[in-house]
């Protein structure tokens, strides 16, 4: 029998027992009155909790490492915090979920993987983010979890960060907006979503030891801003602090991050949880950490006996322990975990796979299309499909977020990958099969690309070639911007043999393309997720218009990066648990808040592809810009489809300079689908914070003239305008 179902059945029994327990004793449990506020309900429970019970809620297990101590009904997963049955406080059952309910090593899992986070960002579509979040939130519930450790919103400061695939690109407004929508989607199922990794966990090399040193204004206007937008609009139940240090202090014991920013400035009422193995002492509690997660990974279970001892000695106050417990319970009430106990069962992977496919169809970015090679003709006589394990499936990212549904195929991981992760997992949606299904009488031949000469020979005899290249990436290791395993050589050999070559990239993020000029067409498909092969084929054959836009700049070389050498890369590191970590080192951010496109605007350098870039099978024109000022800035303009096909465009509005500062900033965008010849007038209003600078401990909008550009990407200003905006301040 399917092991997942056995586990699911156990959880179902448990939650039924829990539900009926709560209901029968409901009258006595005043906190079960949903009309009361989450704070009032949390206070009522707190009155009943003993000190030891409070402490029990403040530290959680890593079930995967519990061995025989793991109760049978608890799944192999990221986290478990036992509840207090006598009061109906539910167990917290946590699953990783950057891209779906993670498999945590379960070999026969049935969760549905979404395309990667950076792919989701490439949709520039909050509705898709909400629907994706709602789908995985529903699956969490159906798989017996009430917390998803989703919500990675660390900005892409370096294309070599091994976890970029889990995050949402380089811009704080885009990343924050899509993260908020995902959180809302997840929490619409009464499943807690986290925001992580707070903060500036922007590379994997040395993540346990590095010290991120950044000026406060730059920090507030970049990495923190992405979190601020996500947390303000998404109201996640929880925030997870990062492994690294920030300004000399570990993020999980950092009063500036955990108390000043989150609680005092942003007034966020939820609970902070540590990353797994990120707690170094009970001082974390006074700094603002509310819950120690994955306690098996810390040197001690600091928030158990040591915390009790610290309360006894007066180092930590009893009031602080109550506050920690209050924040935890408050979120469980606010999100609905008490009122809507999870009930395993009822997964509909067919319908959920379509949600993932729709997201991927919107995420695919067409980078180049010479001589309209795309969309491919279904009737093409000879099609050669080469490389990328396209006969097997689509690549996915490794580490804690790994979703490996049934049918996935795992290839050996490269040298240097963390020992604790799995192999290179390919999700079972083969692009080759999806292409074959569409070619009617056309002949499709496949070559795996390992023998470049054989691949070139096949390409030479074909009318059209589709070459797939993949870049696997994982938590715990950074990557190179060059494709691995000699794939650049493969593409060069194939494009030399046949210029009618379409290159499909399945990468973690930006990569170099030394063969770019030789390729006929280039398509970025990211990590495509469930039914990803189908989504790729639909775009290749023009069943959907390619409508993704780059959420990160693709640099032309490593020399263009803010830190051409990855900090810590000169030290021996395999990051991970129990593995060697390098000596502590500092990472500096001379680019400040000028991440990605903003730094190219300043330096005048030309990247390979700019932020916001992406082609369609039709063409668009913008006209008639009117910019209105006052309290904020509003741009109104008309978008027209100038081509012969229906298509979807994402016109973007950038601030190019203000009265005192010249910094390019994305301040808004619109996504429009137009029939051939159709025009639509759109209005984009800038959130005031996007016009502000961080100064004198708050957000300040300088009064005066603001210049804006409207364009199809960060490097192309199709329309320009300006207006006057009134001076003002905003709450932090
Ligand atoms: C990762 C987190 C994850 C946690 C639990 C850590 O290694 O950094 O993103 O949620 O493990 O699996």
């Amino acid at each position: 029998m399917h092991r997942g179902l056995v586990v699911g059945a156990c959880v179902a029994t448990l939650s039924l027992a829990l539900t009926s327990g709560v209901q029968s004793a409901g009258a006595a449990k005043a906190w079960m009155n949903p009309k009361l506020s989450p704070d009032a309900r949390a206070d009522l429970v707190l009155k009943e909790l003993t000190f030891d019970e409070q402490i029990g809620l403040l530290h959680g297990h890593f079930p995967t490492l519990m061995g025989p101590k793991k109760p049978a009904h608890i799944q192999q997963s990221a986290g478990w915090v036992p509840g207090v049955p006598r009061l109906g406080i539910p167990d917290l059952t946590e699953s990783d979920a950057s891209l779906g309910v993670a498999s945590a090593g379960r070999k026969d899992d049935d969760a549905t993987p979404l395309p990667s986070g950076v792919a989701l960002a490439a949709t520039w579509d909050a509705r898709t983010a909400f629907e994706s979040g709602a789908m995985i939130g529903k699956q969490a519930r159906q798989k017996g979890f009430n917390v998803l450790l989703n919500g990675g919103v660390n900005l892409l400061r370096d294309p070599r960060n091994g976890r970029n695939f889990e995050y949402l690109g380089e811009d704080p407004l885009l990343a924050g907006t899509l993260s908020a929508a995902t959180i809302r989607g997840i929490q619409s199922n009464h499943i807690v979503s986290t925001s992580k990794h707070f903060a500036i966990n922007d590379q994997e090399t040395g993540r346990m030891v590095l010290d991120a040193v950044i000026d406060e204004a730059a920090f507030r206007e970049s990495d923190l801003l992405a979190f601020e937008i996500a947390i303000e609009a998404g109201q996640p139940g929880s925030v997870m602090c990062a492994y690294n240090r920030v300004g000399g202090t570990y993020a999980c014991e950092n009063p500036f991050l955990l108390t000043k920013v989150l609680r005092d400035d942003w007034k966020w009422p939820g609970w902070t949880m540590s990353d797994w193995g990120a707690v170094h002492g009970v001082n974390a509690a006074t700094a603002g950490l509310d819950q120690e997660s994955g306690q098996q990974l810390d040197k001690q279970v600091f928030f158990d006996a040591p915390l009790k001892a610290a309360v006894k000695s007066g180092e930590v106050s009893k009031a602080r322990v109550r506050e920690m417990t209050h924040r935890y319970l408050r979120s469980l009430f606010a999100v609905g975990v008490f009122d809507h106990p999870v009930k395993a069962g009822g997964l509909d992977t067919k319908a959920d796979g379509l949600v993932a496919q729709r997201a991927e169809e919107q995420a695919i970015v067409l980078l180049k299309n010479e001589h309209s090679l795309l969309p491919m003709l279904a009737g093409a006589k000879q099609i050669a499909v080469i490389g990328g394990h396209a006969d097997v499936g689509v690549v996915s990212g490794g580490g804690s977020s790994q979703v490996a549904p049934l049918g996935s195929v795992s290839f050996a991981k490269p040298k240097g990958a963390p020992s604790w992760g799995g192999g290179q997992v390919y999700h079972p949606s083969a692009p080759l099969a999806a292409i074959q299904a569409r070619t009617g009488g056309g002949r499709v031949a496949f070559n795996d690309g390992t023998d470049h000469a054989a691949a070139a020979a096949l390409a030479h005899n074909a009318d059209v070639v589709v070459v797939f290249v993949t870049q696997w990436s994982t938590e715990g290791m950074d990557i190179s911007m060059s494709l691995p395993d000699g794939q650049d050589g493969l593409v060069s050999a194939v494009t030399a043999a046949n210029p009618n070559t379409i290159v499909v990239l399945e990468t973690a993020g930006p990569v170099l393309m030394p063969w770019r000029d030789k390729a006929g067409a280039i398509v970025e498909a990211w990590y495509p997720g469930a039914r990803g092969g189908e989504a790729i084929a639909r775009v290749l054959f023009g069943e959907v218009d390619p409508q993704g836009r780059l959420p990160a700049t693709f640099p032309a070389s490593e020399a263009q990066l803010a830190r051409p050498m990855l900090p810590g890369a000169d030290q021996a590191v395999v990051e991970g648990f129990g593995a060697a970590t390098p000596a502590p080192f500092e990472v500096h951010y001379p680019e400040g808040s000028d991440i990605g496109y903003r730094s190219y605007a300043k330096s005048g350098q030309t990247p390979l592809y700019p932020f916001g870039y992406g082609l369609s099978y039709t063409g668009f024109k913008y006209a008639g810009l009117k910019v209105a000022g006052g309290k904020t800035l509003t741009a109104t303009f008309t978008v027209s489809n100038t081509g012969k096909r229906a298509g979807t465009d994402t016109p973007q509005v950038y601030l190019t300079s203000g009265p005192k500062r010249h910094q390019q900033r994305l301040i808004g965008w619109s996504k429009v689908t137009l029939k051939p010849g159709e025009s639509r007038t759109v209005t984009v209003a800038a959130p005031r914070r996007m016009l502000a600078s961080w100064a004198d401990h708050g957000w300040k909008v300088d009064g005066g003239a603001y210049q804006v550009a409207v364009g199809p990407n960060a490097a192309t200003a199709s329309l320009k305008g300006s207006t006057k905006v009134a001076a003002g301040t905003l709450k932090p």
Side-chain angles (χ1 to χ4, degrees):
M1 197 202 219
H2 194 293
R3 199 174 122 251
L5 291 181
V6 177
V7 173
C10 296
V11 174
T13 319
L14 180 80
S15 24
L16 276 179
L18 214 71
T19 324
S20 49
V22 170
Q23 280 164 356
S24 63
K29 295 187 173 104
W31 54 86
M32 289 311 293
N33 177 359
K35 290 200 181 110
L36 298 175
S37 73
D39 283 306
R41 296 175 75 180
D43 281 339
L44 286 167
V45 186
L46 253 170
K47 274 194 195 144
E48 306 294 325
L49 278 171
T50 66
F51 176 71
D52 279 0
E53 283 171 336
Q54 290 175 43
I55 295 282
L57 295 173
L58 302 180
H59 58 95
H61 296 277
F62 184 17
T64 304
L65 286 191
M66 285 180 79
K69 287 194 183 142
K70 182 176 83 57
H73 70 278
I74 293 301
Q75 302 182 64
Q76 187 168 315
S77 68
W80 170 49
V81 183
V84 181
R86 75 178 182 90
L87 300 175
I89 299 178
D91 283 11
L92 204 70
T93 46
E94 303 166 296
S95 171
D96 272 301
S98 290
L99 326 158
V101 181
S103 304
R106 295 186 298 264
K107 292 276 176 271
D108 49 1
D109 198 29
D110 50 2
T112 301
L114 288 167
S116 56
V118 74
L120 189 64
T123 70
W124 292 59
D125 190 39
R127 194 189 318 162
T128 300
F130 180 89
E131 283 167 4
S132 300
M135 185 275 278
I136 64 172
K138 186 185 62 165
Q139 286 206 346
R141 164 167 293 283
Q142 291 163 334
K143 292 172 80 62
F145 295 106
N146 53 22
V147 177
L148 285 186
L149 308 173
N150 181 277
V153 71
N154 298 99
L155 291 184
L156 192 153
R157 277 186 184 264
D158 197 310
R160 296 163 300 190
N161 176 8
R163 294 188 87 172
N164 280 337
F165 72 90
E166 295 184 54
Y167 303 144
L168 298 162
E170 72 189 23
D171 180 75
L173 181 62
L174 180 64
T177 305
L178 295 194
S179 179
T182 311
I183 294 165
R184 286 201 305 269
I186 291 172
Q187 294 194 163
S188 68
N189 291 284
H190 308 294
I191 300 296
V192 172
S193 179
T194 54
S195 275
K196 69 186 187 184
H197 309 87
F198 196 63
I200 206 155
N201 184 175
D202 292 349
Q203 65 174 61
E204 287 300 277
T205 303
R207 66 174 173 166
M208 303 280 183
V209 295
L210 73 79
D211 183 13
V213 183
I214 187 165
D215 158 76
E216 182 178 348
F219 196 15
R220 294 270 191 174
E221 292 175 7
S222 59
D223 297 63
L224 283 182
L225 181 54
F227 277 102
E228 185 171 7
I229 296 168
I231 291 170
E232 185 177 66
Q235 287 297 315
S238 176
V239 168
M240 184 194 298
C241 47
Y243 285 125
N244 50 286
R245 293 177 165 94
V246 177
T249 308
Y250 280 116
C252 285
E253 53 187 53
N254 194 310
F256 169 74
L257 288 175
L258 302 179
T259 300
K260 168 91 178 91
V261 173
L262 270 179
R263 189 174 308 165
D264 297 346
D265 292 347
W266 296 353
K267 311 275 179 267
W268 172 73
W271 96 92
T272 50
M273 61 166 76
S274 71
D275 201 341
W276 273 232
V279 183
H280 304 271
V282 282
N283 58 325
T286 39
L289 179 66
D290 300 316
Q291 192 179 59
E292 175 180 14
S293 315
Q295 63 189 44
Q296 281 77 5
L297 289 166
D298 285 327
K299 286 207 181 86
Q300 288 180 56
V301 185
F302 292 107
F303 279 18
D304 192 5
L307 182 56
K308 287 183 190 165
V311 171
K312 213 166 171 196
S313 73
E315 187 190 341
V316 178
S317 69
K318 261 198 166 158
R320 173 67 190 128
V321 170
R322 284 178 65 81
E323 182 189 47
M324 292 155 80
T325 316
H326 175 96
R327 294 178 76 89
Y328 174 55
L329 295 171
R330 192 238 173 247
S331 271
L332 299 192
F333 283 118
V335 176
V337 173
F338 269 82
D339 300 333
H340 305 272
V342 293
K343 186 168 177 293
L347 216 63
D348 182 354
T349 48
K350 210 167 166 202
D352 294 345
L354 290 172
V355 174
Q357 180 183 330
R358 275 198 301 272
E360 171 65 1
E361 286 171 3
Q362 297 202 44
I364 292 174
V365 183
L366 178 62
L367 295 172
K368 181 176 178 184
N369 194 14
E370 210 111 283
H371 315 304
S372 299
L373 194 53
L374 287 169
M376 275 166 73
L377 294 177
K381 284 201 196 94
Q382 295 279 345
I383 300 175
V385 176
I386 295 171
H389 298 300
D391 56 332
V392 168
V394 287
V395 71
S396 66
S400 58
S401 69
Q402 179 77 64
V403 186
L406 276 171
S408 296
V409 174
S410 186
F411 295 97
K413 60 188 164 198
K415 228 177 118 219
S419 55
W420 50 272
Q424 304 187 43
V425 173
Y426 279 65
H427 291 143
S429 177
L432 176 63
I435 290 172
Q436 278 165 335
R438 283 168 173 78
T439 48
R443 262 201 65 208
V444 182
F446 179 72
N447 177 287
D448 72 6
T450 42
D451 177 342
H452 295 184
L458 184 73
H460 182 73
N461 293 324
D463 300 311
V464 188
V465 184
V466 191
V467 58
F468 286 83
V469 289
T470 60
Q471 178 201 40
W472 182 72
S473 182
T474 181
E475 177 184 344
M477 182 180 82
D478 289 322
I479 45 174
S480 158
M481 274 172 62
S482 293
L483 292 171
D485 307 326
Q487 293 178 97
D488 283 331
L490 170 67
V491 179
S492 298
V494 168
T495 50
N498 190 336
N500 283 348
T501 293
I502 300 154
V503 184
V504 180
L505 298 154
E506 292 173 23
T507 67
V511 287
L512 301 176
M513 303 175 206
W515 35 260
R516 176 170 74 143
D517 293 344
K518 300 277 164 25
I522 306 173
V523 173
E524 174 59 86
W526 317 104
Y527 291 166
R531 300 185 60 84
E534 193 65 20
I536 291 171
R538 273 174 54 79
V539 169
L540 293 182
F541 286 90
E543 292 162 30
V544 279
D545 191 43
Q547 55 199 267
R549 300 291 182 262
L550 295 181
T553 311
F554 275 44
S557 70
E558 292 204 344
Q560 289 187 334
L561 300 178
R563 283 158 294 283
M565 196 199 85
L566 190 75
D570 51 344
Q571 305 185 43
V573 240
V574 169
E575 193 53 84
F577 308 109
T581 52
F585 58 91
E586 291 184 353
V587 183
H588 293 264
Y589 305 91
E591 75 277 25
S593 63
D594 282 327
I595 303 176
Y597 67 89
R598 299 173 177 193
S599 76
Y600 288 83
K602 248 187 198 155
S603 68
Q605 294 191 85
T606 307
L608 192 65
Y609 290 107
F611 174 83
Y613 183 83
L615 302 171
S616 153
Y617 290 149
T618 185
F620 298 98
K621 204 179 91 197
Y622 311 143
L625 174 64
K626 288 194 193 76
V627 189
K631 225 173 159 193
T632 189
L633 183 159
T634 307
T636 303
F637 53 96
T638 304
V639 191
S640 307
N641 181 345
T642 56
K644 295 199 176 72
R645 301 172 60 101
T648 302
D649 191 29
T650 304
Q652 299 147 38
V653 184
Y654 293 91
L655 180 71
T656 51
S657 72
K660 292 198 185 148
R661 278 180 77 170
H662 303 285
Q663 183 183 44
Q664 186 176 14
R665 286 183 187 181
L666 177 73
I667 54 175
W669 65 91
S670 177
K671 193 162 174 176
V672 276
T673 298
L674 298 172
K675 295 193 197 92
E678 192 184 353
S679 295
R680 189 164 318 144
T681 299
V682 297
T683 296
V684 174
R688 269 181 95 219
R689 207 186 278 122
M690 295 316 297
L691 306 178
S693 297
W694 182 263
D696 304 329
H697 313 294
W699 291 107
K700 192 171 157 217
V701 180
D702 292 317
Y706 284 75
Q707 269 79 42
V708 297
V710 174
N713 57 67
T716 312
S718 308
L719 305 171
K720 287 182 182 175
S722 71
T723 191
K724 281 207 168 121
V725 174
T729 53
L730 282 93
K731 283 203 202 105

